[in-house]
């Protein structure tokens, strides 16, 4: 473990921690151990018997100034609350996989007609991206899901738009009439 001990006019600090007063008996004992060339008990407990490299910087002509906290980007995971979006359990597919799903799609596209891409987020966390003609119907999206994932053939599900959330109940509407061109559709199990 690498630790930096900074000596200030009014105390000392470890790494970028808080100022510790020289007059505190615990801190005086800490510094006495360092002067004798020993690892202070506090640091021994910190590393559980591991190796400690203690570097020192002399700032005794300066008053301690609390260091600015460095920006650390959030590296955890987020979860949406109250959203109709299903939990994603798989990593997003690569562009190559998306192209493959479009090429292997069981939907017949008329290239002379206007087309759109629809992303479908399935209830199992996976997603499909498919080109449709604007004249395809919502029923065609349902059929595409069942053809792509036969496990959903015997499952009762609904299709929902993202914000604003709206269930697509009339499956006879064209994609243009339903106003879902180039959008994301969510599959929700009933």
């Amino acid at each position: 473990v690498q630790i930096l001990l900074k000596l200030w006019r009014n105390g000392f600090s470890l790494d970028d921690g808080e100022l510790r007063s020289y007059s505190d008996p615990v801190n005086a004992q800490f510094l006495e151990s360092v002067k004798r060339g020993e690892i202070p008990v506090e640091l021994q407990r910190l590393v559980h018997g591991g190796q400690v490299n203690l570097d020192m910087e002399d700032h005794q002509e300066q008053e301690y100034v609390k260091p600015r906290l460095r920006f650390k980007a959030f590296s955890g995971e987020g979860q949406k609350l109250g959203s109709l979006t299903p939990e994603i359990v798989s990593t997003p597919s690569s562009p190559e996989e998306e192209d493959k799903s479009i090429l292997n799609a069981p939907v017949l596209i008329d290239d002379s007609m206007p087309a759109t891409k629809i992303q479908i987020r399935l209830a199992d966390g996976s997603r499909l991206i498919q080109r449709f003609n604007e004249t395809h119907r919502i029923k065609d999206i349902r059929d595409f899901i069942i053809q792509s994932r036969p496990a959903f053939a015997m499952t009762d599900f609904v299709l929902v738009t993202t914000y604003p959330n709206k269930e697509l109940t009339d499956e006879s509407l064209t994609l243009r009439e339903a106003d879902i061109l180039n959008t994301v559709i969510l599959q929700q199990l009933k």
Side-chain angles (χ1 to χ4, degrees), residues 4 8 16 18-19 21 25 37 51 54 62 70 84 92 123 125 129 137 141 146 149 156 175-176 181 187 190:
L4 179 60
W8 304 93
D16 285 329
E18 294 292 320
L19 180 70
S21 172
Q51 186 174 359
L54 185 63
Q62 302 170 7
R70 293 187 192 122
L84 291 176
I129 298 176
R137 305 204 175 272
I141 295 175
I146 292 169
R149 300 287 198 284
D156 195 16
L175 304 184
R176 176 171 286 291
L181 303 178
Q187 177 199 37
K190 280 190 171 182

Side-chain angles (χ1 to χ4, degrees), residues 145-188:
I145 292 171
I146 292 169
Q147 288 177 332
S148 299
R149 300 287 198 284
F152 289 121
M154 301 311 256
T155 307
D156 195 16
F157 64 88
V158 294
L159 300 175
V160 180
T161 63
T162 54
Y163 189 81
N165 296 333
K166 180 179 77 173
E167 189 174 324
L168 301 170
T169 52
D170 186 355
E171 295 190 353
S172 65
L173 292 176
T174 66
L175 304 184
R176 176 171 286 291
E177 291 168 341
D179 195 25
I180 57 169
L181 303 178
N182 296 314
T183 60
V184 177
I185 301 297
L186 309 175
Q187 177 199 37
Q188 292 183 334

Side-chain angles (χ1 to χ4, degrees), residues 2 12 17 27-28 43 46 73 97 117 135 144 150 166 178:
Q2 188 77 23
F12 70 93
N27 295 338
L43 297 182
L46 178 71
E97 289 172 343
K117 267 189 188 177
T135 56
F144 168 72
K166 180 179 77 173

Side-chain angles (χ1 to χ4, degrees), residues 33-91:
S33 296
V34 172
K35 286 180 189 173
R36 287 192 309 262
E38 300 172 357
I39 300 298
V41 177
E42 175 185 337
L43 297 182
Q44 289 175 2
R45 277 186 260 143
L46 178 71
V47 297
H48 305 292
Q51 186 174 359
V52 176
N53 287 334
L54 185 63
D55 291 329
M56 293 177 61
E57 286 183 3
D58 185 10
H59 299 278
Q60 289 182 338
E61 68 283 346
Q62 302 170 7
E63 290 288 324
Y64 171 80
V65 177
K66 188 172 182 173
R68 285 189 171 167
L69 295 176
R70 293 187 192 122
F71 174 76
K72 183 179 177 192
F74 177 70
S75 60
E77 287 184 17
Q79 299 292 329
K80 290 185 178 183
L81 299 176
S83 171
L84 291 176
T85 306
E87 179 182 341
I88 304 299
V89 291
S90 64
T91 57

